[in-house]
Amino acid sequence: MNKYSIQKRNSSVEFIKLIACLLIVFSHSFPRGIPTEAAPHLIDPTQATGNLQVFLLIVLKYLGQVGNAVFIVSSAFFLRRSSAVKMRKVFDIVRDSFLISLFSLIVLLLIGWRFPLSTMVKQLIPITMNTNWFVGCYLLFYLIHPALNRLTETLDQRKLLGICIAVIILYCGINFLLPGRFYYTQLVGFINIYLLVSYADLYLPSWAVSRKGNAAVMVSSLVMLFGLIWTTNFLGLRIGALSGMADWFSNISNPLIIAVGISAFGFARTFHFESRTINSLSSLTLLIYLIHANDLIMDFVKPAFFANVYMAEGYGRLLYWCGLFGLMLLIGGVLLSVCYRFLADKLLVRISDRIWNVVVSGWNRLLDAILSWS
């Protein structure tokens, strides 16, 4: 990305993406899992709780999904404006995912960590093994977005509205209450949000200009989301069948999470200013995600950190330690992203160019061979 494009982007939109990144990072700051005698430090966010600190962490998990929704809305909005698919962009994202996973594995091995063979293999093919679900899902979404653009451009308002209503009923309604229905996947979630964003962008002009309207939807949706979380937890403490559903609605098919994402992005669009610092930080968000959400950090380093905390003093200051760990994830993610970007600009670009040329050449030869046989 050139320096001019970084400087000229609307920093209000980039700022809301930074907030979304913060929500995602801090939603990963507590050790999730089923507590056992061997691992009493783990916290199960599915279980209703009377502990205020744990309840707030469950709320934070939901807010992490709000952050995901903001990024999906942003991607849908900008991809609507171009049907071009740049395979070099796909290649670069795959490269970054592989190298960051590989570097993480090497560094942790050098400082003494040991991992199962299966875990190390997953680090070598992170997208294939779904260790970075958002990245893999985004790449698939990016590859099919030209077809989605043609669909929304071909349909008239009535037909597109009908599809959006069907999406809301099937996936924001039935699948929201009973997850996994109608062959729901995260990619389907991306497409659903794309369709809703497309309708708003094409036929709801107030979305782009109404600051009060977007703010009202955002605040009311957040209030209702918190009410949903509290009610689910409250009922779970009193009804055994509901005790394991505290985070049941923490997904991107939740209509309230989608509403917050769309309105927050729309609210940000009603402002316009330019800040090179904000834009530069926002350009690092994908790298920050890849670094902080690495499986080795989430599944090994984080549990070990909280195991030591639990053994030393218990969880009387759980929020403090989660905040501290989240801050370490954030600062470390930013610093390592800057270092990686510097390395990529100075060294990886040349190596990547050579590999890319080999890949393109080999792919074209394969296509030519297949076509010649037919």
Side-chain angles (χ1 to χ4, degrees), residues 76-352:
F77 177 81
F78 289 110
L79 289 178
R80 278 206 69 255
R81 281 147 178 75
S82 173
S83 292
V85 172
K86 300 177 181 178
M87 292 307 298
R88 180 56 190 266
K89 175 181 178 179
V90 175
F91 173 81
D92 287 343
I93 293 176
V94 172
R95 176 205 66 194
D96 292 342
S97 180
F98 166 74
L99 288 177
I100 288 173
S101 292
L102 179 62
F103 291 160
S104 300
L105 176 61
I106 292 174
V107 170
L108 289 173
L109 286 174
L110 288 175
I111 63 177
W113 286 83
R114 294 295 178 263
F115 308 104
L117 178 61
S118 59
T119 298
M120 293 190 286
V121 171
K122 287 175 64 177
Q123 289 298 298
L124 300 179
I125 44 176
I127 292 179
T128 302
M129 299 304 294
N130 201 30
T131 61
N132 303 123
W133 76 267
F134 190 95
V135 176
C137 203
Y138 170 79
L139 289 178
L140 292 175
F141 175 65
Y142 176 72
L143 290 172
I144 67 172
H145 88 272
L148 295 173
N149 284 352
R150 285 194 292 272
L151 174 67
T152 55
E153 291 165 1
T154 301
L155 297 175
D156 59 27
Q157 181 178 3
R158 183 183 183 87
K159 291 180 179 178
L160 183 56
L161 176 61
I163 291 176
C164 288
I165 292 175
V167 161
I168 292 172
I169 293 173
L170 293 178
Y171 295 108
C172 299
I174 298 174
N175 183 75
F176 165 62
L177 297 172
L178 301 171
R181 300 306 189 271
F182 302 106
Y183 309 99
Y184 180 83
T185 64
Q186 300 289 11
L187 180 60
V188 172
F190 269 67
I191 295 172
N192 292 342
I193 292 177
Y194 168 88
L195 292 171
L196 297 174
V197 169
S198 295
Y199 187 86
D201 193 28
L202 289 168
Y203 302 114
L204 298 177
S206 60
W207 180 51
V209 298
S210 178
R211 187 173 299 172
K212 291 183 178 179
N214 280 299
V217 172
M218 180 172 57
V219 172
S220 60
S221 297
L222 281 171
V223 170
M224 286 188 287
L225 179 62
F226 181 82
L228 173 66
I229 301 168
W230 184 87
T231 301
T232 304
N233 187 74
F234 177 82
L235 293 176
L237 290 174
R238 287 155 179 80
I239 303 174
L242 302 180
S243 62
M245 298 179 62
D247 70 340
W248 186 261
F249 305 114
S250 176
N251 56 70
I252 57 172
S253 68
N254 186 324
L256 297 175
I257 289 176
I258 295 174
V260 175
I262 293 176
S263 57
F265 184 81
F267 180 75
R269 287 180 61 212
T270 64
F271 298 87
H272 188 91
F273 66 95
E274 293 173 6
S275 167
R276 180 172 180 78
T277 300
I278 290 176
N279 293 353
S280 296
L281 286 173
S282 179
S283 71
L284 298 174
T285 51
L286 176 60
L287 295 177
I288 294 172
Y289 172 79
L290 289 172
I291 291 169
H292 97 275
N294 183 276
D295 272 8
L296 301 181
I297 304 296
M298 294 292 104
D299 296 341
F300 294 91
V301 175
K302 181 171 66 175
F305 175 88
F306 280 95
N308 289 327
V309 170
Y310 189 85
M311 292 177 61
E313 63 172 66
Y315 274 169
R317 299 192 298 163
L318 178 59
L319 290 181
Y320 165 79
W321 288 110
C322 290
L324 178 62
F325 189 79
L327 190 61
M328 290 191 296
L329 286 178
L330 180 63
I331 295 174
V334 172
L335 294 178
L336 291 174
S337 296
V338 171
C339 293
Y340 181 86
R341 178 63 59 79
F342 178 81
L343 176 65
D345 290 343
K346 297 297 182 181
L347 177 62
L348 293 182
V349 168
R350 296 179 183 178
I351 299 175
S352 296

